[in-house]
Amino acid sequence: GTTGHSVLSTPHSTLSTQHYALSTPHSALSTQHSSSYRIETIRVGTRHLDTLMTQAGELTVTKIRIAHRLGEIEAITNLWEEWNRDLFTNRFAFSREQQADVALQCLETFHHHSEKRLEQLGHLVKTLQSSLSEDTTRLEQLSSDLEEGIRTLRLLPFATIFNLFPRMVRDLAQQQGKLVELITEGKDTLADKRLLEEMKDPLMHILRNAIDHGIESPQERERLGKPTTATIRLRAYQTPTNIVLEISDDGRGLDLDRIKQIAVKRGICEEEELAAMTPSQIQALIFAPGFSTAPLVTEVSGRGVGLDVVQTNVEKLKGTIEVESFPGLGCTLRVNLSITLATAHVLIVQVNEIPYAIPVEFVQTACLIKSEEIFPLEGRDTIIRDSQPISIVQLADLLELPPMPSGLTQETALSCIILQVGQAQLGVVVDALVDEQDVVIKPQSQLLKRVRNVSGATILGTGDVCMVLNPQDLVKSARSRSQSFSSSQTRQLVPTKPTVLLVEDSIATRTQEKRILETAGYQVITAVDGLDGLNKLRSHTVDAVVSDVQMPNLDGLGLTAKIRQYQEYSELPIILVTSLASDEDKRRGAEAGANAYIIKGSFNQEALLSTLKRLV
């Protein structure tokens, strides 16, 4: 700041003051006072803060990768526990054989040594797991604090740019013979320096459009019973997840008929498309490239540079813009911007075995839908959610990926993400929902500066390169597609093997049951315990669950109860295969929601397969 500058720019006065202090009787007191001298402010180039912010973002990615390493160690621990259980189960096998056999005695000795080494290995792995877990927690706290601290250094009040606009508004209004008062609110709201820089020109363009198109002349306003002085209100405020800018006026509002005429005249839309649009979708056409309602090319507007420039800048800041208009009363433009620009919180999805990232601020919800819920409406596949029709489309079709065997049947539930971009909603069908992560988005190179449907790329904690999708582009791409994917020949529903989720902690039993099911024509997904099974169920589409009861982390009864908590799994067949044979155990299984209860003691593959065939 200025204070720091004045202190640093007067070294001679500071030195002379100290010299004078030494030559006076009160030198001891003055020396004590000067020792507490501190420089409270320093000037730092913004490029240094930008570099620090980028490095803090990279630290976040490294933190996520270390968390993945912790997951790998947990997998090793699970493997050790399985191995240890099998060893414990078979520890008396040798003693039942003839003790005179020297070879068996040697083998028994080897078995005892292996048991001791296995115990030592388990101790080391668990110690490593505990230490790494503590280090990961500490690193997560430090990286979050560091990122938040650096981000705070870059914050500036909106007054930085708001103070530039009153004079501009006054001059433009005078040029056009209009009376306009600009009211600014929320000037103390803080935002990232880059966000203020990028939003200065868009806000200036919006204000120009409001004065030129929205505000009536004083004579017309008086005739309409309005105050002769129009009001434009510029407001900034912060929500828990976004910074919102609102620009509203009390002018004439948007003329939908005029917008339709211009859209057809400039080739932006066909009349058939306009007939199917809602009023909010028609209003959003003012952001289309080349759209302008100005009859003349003036200094203020009508130069072929419309509000599409504003939308482009807003999308570059990971934001959205929406319009709300009331004829004769005025118009409001609302810009929603992300608080953090260095990192993004994304939902990782999988399509054709390739991961893609979608910013979570555009994800309204995720759900499972069945084929019978889909119906055609105006040439597009549609579902009903909260009593509202929502168009759905396969993400693979939007990205123009080559068709692959989908593994879907008519009864299979589809993983669907409901995107919300402004007022528009779109359901996107994907193969699987993988994870949520904080990532650093890498901008494209000059060769790939503007690729449709893609806003950048990132490196996941697993080391995989992942494309970050642009939700605004996905909605535009979906609107340009009129073919229904349920009737499309590119991604037909191909009947395939039914899928069974097998949850069993014993590796021997799991291998045996998996082989039985696969031989009978089922596709099998395995899980090592109830918690793993629940995660696999949420990320895959299955036709039935076969589970053990006694398992670590989450047992079979707990798994069954949790599955039944989800409405989409209320009819999913669940078969419990266990050694617990009492009537009380069977009753508990039925209360948890299991469809069948097979005792391991009387287990045979015909019982399991016939039960599956009856339920699936």
Side-chain angles (χ1 to χ4, degrees):
T2 307
T3 306
H5 180 71
S6 63
V7 170
L8 293 175
S9 62
T10 56
H12 299 293
S13 61
T14 305
L15 287 173
S16 60
T17 303
Q18 290 175 337
H19 177 75
Y20 175 74
L22 290 171
S23 62
T24 63
H26 303 286
S27 58
L29 180 62
S30 300
T31 304
Q32 183 180 359
H33 177 74
S34 64
S35 66
S36 62
Y37 167 74
R38 296 180 64 185
I39 299 174
E40 297 293 341
T41 59
I42 59 173
R43 288 187 173 184
V44 179
T46 54
R47 69 180 185 278
H48 298 309
L49 290 179
D50 294 343
T51 302
L52 278 175
M53 198 67 193
T54 302
Q55 290 173 341
E58 295 291 355
L59 182 61
T60 300
V61 174
T62 305
K63 173 194 71 178
I64 295 171
R65 296 193 66 168
I66 290 176
H68 274 273
R69 301 294 86 77
L70 180 60
E72 291 167 1
I73 290 179
E74 287 175 353
I76 295 174
T77 305
N78 291 337
L79 177 63
W80 170 80
E81 288 175 348
E82 288 181 13
W83 188 6
N84 197 36
R85 274 196 299 270
D86 285 348
L87 198 64
F88 181 79
T89 304
N90 299 302
R91 70 190 187 283
F92 299 120
F94 297 111
S95 60
R96 288 194 292 265
E97 301 295 332
Q98 294 179 353
Q99 297 298 323
D101 194 319
V102 177
L104 277 177
Q105 288 179 351
C106 292
L107 195 58
E108 186 178 5
T109 303
F110 171 74
H111 182 273
H112 288 316
H113 289 167
S114 297
E115 195 172 3
K116 290 180 181 178
R117 292 180 188 126
L118 189 60
E119 186 177 345
Q120 293 172 351
L121 174 63
H123 177 72
L124 292 173
V125 170
K126 287 189 173 181
T127 302
L128 177 60
Q129 180 184 358
S130 175
S131 301
L132 185 57
S133 179
E134 292 177 6
D135 293 345
T136 303
T137 303
R138 179 64 177 155
L139 177 61
E140 185 171 347
Q141 182 65 43
L142 288 174
S143 63
S144 299
D145 292 347
L146 178 61
E147 185 177 356
E148 180 63 24
I150 297 172
R151 192 181 71 81
T152 303
L153 290 177
R154 293 165 51 95
L155 297 180
L156 292 171
F158 267 98
T160 310
I161 57 174
F162 279 12
N163 291 340
L164 303 173
F165 299 139
R167 182 175 179 178
M168 182 203 78
V169 169
R170 186 172 63 249
D171 292 346
L172 287 177
Q174 287 177 353
Q175 288 177 22
Q176 300 197 19
K178 297 178 180 179
L179 300 175
V180 180
E181 179 187 8
L182 176 66
I183 299 176
T184 55
E185 299 176 0
K187 297 197 322 189
D188 294 332
T189 303
L190 297 175
D192 190 276
K193 176 188 74 74
R194 181 188 153 208
L195 187 147
L196 297 179
E197 293 170 345
E198 298 282 354
M199 283 306 299
K200 173 181 165 288
D201 289 341
L203 287 175
M204 195 172 291
H205 195 79
I206 291 171
L207 291 171
R208 283 174 175 269
N209 271 269
I211 295 170
D212 193 40
H213 296 296
I215 303 301
E216 310 95 335
S217 65
Q219 297 80 13
E220 186 179 353
R221 291 181 64 85
E222 189 173 8
R223 181 172 57 82
L224 294 171
K226 293 183 177 182
T228 54
T229 301
T231 301
I232 296 178
R233 195 176 299 273
L234 178 57
R235 179 184 177 214
Y237 61 93
Q238 184 172 326
T239 68
T241 56
N242 290 90
I243 289 174
V244 183
L245 290 170
E246 287 184 357
I247 308 94
S248 58
D249 63 68
D250 61 351
R252 59 173 62 95
L254 296 178
D255 186 342
L256 293 186
D257 293 333
R258 178 72 175 147
I259 292 174
K260 290 179 181 178
Q261 293 173 9
I262 297 293
V264 173
K265 181 179 177 181
R266 294 183 181 260
I268 296 171
C269 285
E270 300 293 335
E271 290 187 2
E272 296 79 13
E273 294 177 282
L274 289 170
M277 286 185 177
T278 63
S280 61
Q281 290 174 335
I282 295 172
Q283 290 173 356
L285 290 176
I286 64 174
F287 300 113
F291 186 94
S292 178
T293 58
L296 299 172
V297 176
T298 67
E299 185 183 348
V300 179
S301 57
R303 296 162 294 170
V305 180
L307 289 172
D308 63 304
V309 176
V310 176
Q311 186 171 40
T312 301
N313 280 39
V314 170
E315 289 179 0
K316 193 161 55 174
L317 293 170
K318 302 187 296 183
T320 61
I321 184 168
E322 53 193 80
V323 60
E324 187 178 308
S325 176
F326 302 96
L329 298 177
C331 180
T332 299
L333 289 178
R334 190 172 293 105
V335 180
N336 289 281
L337 300 167
S338 176
I339 293 176
T340 58
L341 298 178
T343 59
H345 193 55
V346 298
L347 173 66
I348 310 296
V349 301
Q350 195 173 56
V351 177
N352 288 6
E353 300 181 356
I354 302 172
Y356 294 93
I358 300 175
V360 295
E361 56 261 34
F362 296 100
V363 178
Q364 186 187 46
T365 186
C367 59
L368 291 175
I369 58 175
K370 293 186 177 180
S371 299
E372 57 262 27
E373 296 180 53
I374 304 170
F375 61 94
L377 180 65
E378 297 172 351
R380 293 184 175 90
D381 281 308
T382 307
I383 59 173
I384 298 294
R385 277 290 176 275
D386 298 327
S387 303
Q388 294 293 323
I390 299 176
S391 296
I392 65 167
V393 65
Q394 289 274 5
L395 182 57
D397 290 345
L398 289 183
L399 301 179
E400 299 177 18
L401 300 177
M404 291 182 64
S406 61
L408 302 178
T409 66
Q410 292 295 335
E411 291 76 28
T412 300
L414 307 172
S415 298
C416 182
I417 301 166
I418 307 297
L419 299 180
Q420 175 96 34
V421 180
Q423 297 296 320
Q425 288 185 320
L426 175 68
V428 178
V429 177
V430 299
D431 294 344
L433 308 179
V434 180
D435 195 8
E436 284 187 45
Q437 285 188 14
D438 288 318
V439 299
V440 177
I441 300 179
K442 305 286 186 181
Q444 296 101 313
S445 65
Q446 290 299 320
L447 288 174
L448 303 173
K449 193 66 179 174
R450 187 68 181 93
V451 178
R452 184 165 49 90
N453 297 325
V454 175
S455 61
T458 189
I459 300 175
L460 301 179
T462 57
D464 296 330
V465 175
C466 176
M467 304 308 293
V468 180
L469 302 181
N470 185 327
Q472 292 96 336
D473 279 6
L474 293 178
V475 172
K476 293 175 187 174
S477 298
R479 283 177 179 166
S480 66
R481 297 175 57 87
S482 59
Q483 189 176 19
S484 180
F485 93 81
S486 61
S487 60
S488 170
Q489 298 302 308
T490 58
R491 290 183 65 87
Q492 293 181 345
L493 295 175
V494 182
T496 57
K497 301 176 181 178
T499 303
V500 174
L501 174 61
L502 175 60
V503 188
E504 171 62 65
D505 62 329
S506 167
I507 189 169
T509 307
R510 188 166 67 242
T511 303
Q512 179 193 9
E513 292 180 358
K514 183 174 185 287
R515 187 166 57 245
I516 291 171
L517 292 170
E518 287 178 339
T519 304
Y522 293 94
Q523 185 176 341
V524 181
I525 300 170
T526 59
V528 298
D529 57 42
L531 196 57
D532 186 27
L534 192 61
N535 291 331
K536 294 276 179 65
L537 179 63
R538 297 298 288 169
S539 59
H540 296 80
T541 302
V542 303
D543 299 293
V545 176
V546 176
S547 174
D548 186 17
V549 171
Q550 294 176 301
M551 295 182 293
N553 294 329
L554 181 66
D555 64 16
L557 296 175
L559 171 63
T560 303
K562 282 190 175 294
I563 290 174
R564 293 303 187 216
Q565 289 175 3
Y566 297 96
Q567 182 65 33
E568 59 265 33
Y569 299 136
S570 60
E571 302 298 325
L572 179 67
I574 301 176
I575 302 172
L576 296 180
V577 181
T578 177
S579 57
L580 302 175
S582 70
D583 292 337
E584 175 64 15
D585 294 324
K586 294 178 182 178
R587 185 185 59 79
R588 289 172 58 210
E591 287 178 352
N595 299 89
Y597 199 97
I598 299 176
I599 309 302
K600 283 184 178 178
S602 59
F603 176 78
N604 62 72
Q605 62 185 57
E606 286 77 21
L608 175 61
L609 296 178
S610 62
T611 304
L612 262 178
K613 187 176 180 180
R614 188 176 74 250
L615 293 174
V616 175

